[in-house]
Amino acid sequence: MKKRILVTDTILRTILRSLPLPFASGEPILDLLDELKRSRNSIDQKIQKVHESLHETSTVIKELESELTTRTENLKILQSEYERYSTLNEIEEEKANALLSQVEHSLGKDKKSERWISFLISTVSGLLIFLAGLLLSPILTPFISKMFNFNP
């Protein structure tokens, strides 16, 4: 293709140089033709660059779109998980609060009565031991003295 253009250009130049033109020589026309070729090549190169840029931009946009779609799906999954755990947390919190209040109620209500019962049991047992000691000490003192050979 380039050889054909080169051959055509050479032939055209030769013809224009050999023709006797009354208004001017063929050189300005040749210069105009060269300038047209260069501008055509420049425009073709610019169009090619724009085409490549658009193609690359399209590829990048497709990649971004797929990545955003993936992230959106992941976000929806995380959002549904968050909602599920939030409802579970609320249910468990209500159950735990109910259980704690029941335990506190049971412990707080019985504390005073348990303390009085414990005080009475301790007092009665202390009195029984004291009375047993008073009653049994005259009986057990001679027996223990004989047993260990201890004379008071």
Side-chain angles (χ1 to χ4, degrees), residues 2-124:
K2 287 186 180 182
K3 285 185 180 182
R4 222 182 228 183
I5 293 173
L6 186 60
V7 169
T8 307
D9 184 45
T10 307
I11 291 173
L12 186 61
R13 283 179 184 271
T14 306
I15 291 173
L16 284 175
R17 282 186 189 148
S18 64
L19 288 177
L21 296 175
F23 55 87
S25 67
E27 286 300 318
I29 295 174
L30 291 175
D31 289 341
L32 284 174
L33 287 174
D34 286 340
E35 185 65 34
L36 284 174
K37 284 181 187 176
R38 275 187 253 129
S39 68
R40 181 179 173 208
N41 288 341
S42 174
I43 290 173
D44 287 344
Q45 288 174 350
K46 289 177 182 177
I47 289 173
Q48 182 66 28
K49 285 181 182 179
V50 167
H51 180 268
E52 290 172 0
S53 295
L54 285 174
H55 185 266
E56 185 176 334
T57 303
S58 174
T59 305
V60 169
I61 287 174
K62 285 179 184 177
E63 290 174 0
L64 284 173
E65 182 182 8
S66 67
E67 187 174 333
L68 285 174
T69 304
T70 305
R71 286 185 177 195
T72 303
E73 290 171 0
N74 288 340
L75 182 64
K76 287 179 182 177
I77 291 170
L78 284 174
Q79 192 173 16
S80 66
E81 289 291 318
Y82 172 76
E83 289 172 1
R84 186 171 68 102
Y85 285 125
S86 292
T87 55
L88 282 175
N89 186 28
E90 289 173 5
I91 292 170
E92 293 299 322
E93 186 177 356
E94 290 173 5
K95 287 180 182 177
N97 286 338
L99 182 64
L100 283 175
S101 67
Q102 185 66 30
V103 168
E104 286 175 356
H105 179 68
S106 297
L107 290 176
K109 187 177 186 182
D110 295 335
K111 277 187 179 180
K112 289 183 181 178
S113 62
E114 284 181 12
R115 287 182 184 165
W116 283 110
I117 292 172
S118 296
F119 176 73
L120 288 175
I121 290 173
S122 299
T123 306
V124 169

